[in-house]
């Protein structure tokens, strides 16, 4: 483009004799080139629904975390669960330490949770997985959850270490 401008300015082609008219034409051409470049470089790709859904549910949710063993309530506590956008269409749930006595569960992060949108509601799902919380191996199974506005709830089965039965964990936001 700069060579083109040099050629035009050196040779005064196209019969343009008036320097002011030439400069106006040169400036118009330059501005048109810049405008077309900006339009051509703008993103025309549609947004990824999974990434938009993950971004929509990312937030801190205050609520009650309950733990059950064989359908008996073994503890509940108020807590804030943080749902973080992983920037890949998935989220992670940051679960703080909970419980008391022999039923303490160390804080852990449940990553790669899938988010799907259904109208204004979102469904959370995660394949069974294993992770380490503190010094304890945890087996996470049957994770399901929903987010609707500022309300979140989820449920999962957690088997710590060699415990013979799972702890059913439920979280529900408080109003």
């Amino acid at each position: 483009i700069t060579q083109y401008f040099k050629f035009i300015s050196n040779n005064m082609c196209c019969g343009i004799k008036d320097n002011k008219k030439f400069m106006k034409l040169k400036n118009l051409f330059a501005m048109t080139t810049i405008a077309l470049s900006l339009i051509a470089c703008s993103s025309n790709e549609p947004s990824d629904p999974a990434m938009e859904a993950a971004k929509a549910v990312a937030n801190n949710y205050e609520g009650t975390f309950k733990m059950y063993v064989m359908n008996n309530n073994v503890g509940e506590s108020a807590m804030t669960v943080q749902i973080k956008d992983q920037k890949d269409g998935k989220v992670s749930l940051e679960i703080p330490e909970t419980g008391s006595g022999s039923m303490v569960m160390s804080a852990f992060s449940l990553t790669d949770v899938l988010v799907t949108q259904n109208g204004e509601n979102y469904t959370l799902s995660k394949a069974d997985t294993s992770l380490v919380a503190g010094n304890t191996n945890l087996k996470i199974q049957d994770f399901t959850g929903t987010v609707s506005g500022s309300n979140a709830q989820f449920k999962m089965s957690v088997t710590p270490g060699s415990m013979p039965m799972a702890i059913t964990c439920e979280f529900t936001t408080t109003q």
Side-chain angles (χ1 to χ4, degrees):
I1 292 177
T2 57
Q3 289 179 344
Y4 176 72
F5 284 134
K6 284 180 185 177
F7 174 78
I8 290 176
S9 62
N10 290 338
N11 296 308
M12 298 297 285
C13 73
C14 306
I16 300 175
K17 303 285 187 205
D18 186 351
N19 198 23
K20 287 184 180 179
K21 286 183 183 177
F22 172 71
M23 290 304 290
K24 285 181 182 178
L25 182 61
K26 185 177 172 181
N27 288 340
L28 178 64
F29 178 72
M31 295 303 282
T32 304
T33 302
I34 291 170
L36 290 174
S37 297
L38 291 175
I39 292 170
C41 293
S42 67
S43 175
N44 293 335
E45 295 181 27
S47 62
D48 181 2
M51 292 187 74
E52 293 298 319
K55 192 184 309 180
V57 301
N59 205 349
N60 292 331
Y61 297 92
E62 293 184 22
T64 304
F65 190 84
K66 297 179 182 180
M67 296 188 296
Y68 300 90
V69 175
M70 297 178 59
N71 294 324
N72 294 314
N73 187 333
V74 294
E76 64 181 69
S77 57
M79 74 168 49
T80 299
V81 172
Q82 185 178 28
I83 299 180
K84 292 182 176 179
D85 181 3
Q86 293 182 181
K87 309 291 186 214
D88 62 356
K90 298 175 185 169
V91 296
S92 65
L93 277 72
E94 306 299 320
I95 313 293
E97 182 176 287
T98 187
S100 62
S102 63
M103 291 298 295
V104 172
M105 191 177 337
S106 296
F108 64 94
S109 180
L110 187 60
T111 60
D112 297 327
V113 176
L114 299 173
V115 183
T116 53
Q117 184 175 6
N118 184 10
E120 294 185 20
N121 301 315
Y122 300 89
T123 301
L124 309 176
S125 60
K126 169 80 175 148
D128 294 351
T129 190
S130 295
L131 54 91
V132 177
N135 294 323
T136 307
N137 293 323
L138 299 180
K139 184 176 180 182
I140 312 290
Q141 296 177 296
D142 306 320
F143 178 88
T144 59
T146 58
V147 175
S148 180
S150 61
N151 296 314
Q153 60 184 16
F154 62 82
K155 183 177 182 178
M156 64 184 149
S157 295
V158 179
T159 306
S162 59
M163 188 170 167
M165 67 221 43
I167 302 169
T168 300
C169 300
E170 297 178 354
F171 174 82
T172 305
T173 52
T174 51
Q175 298 293 327

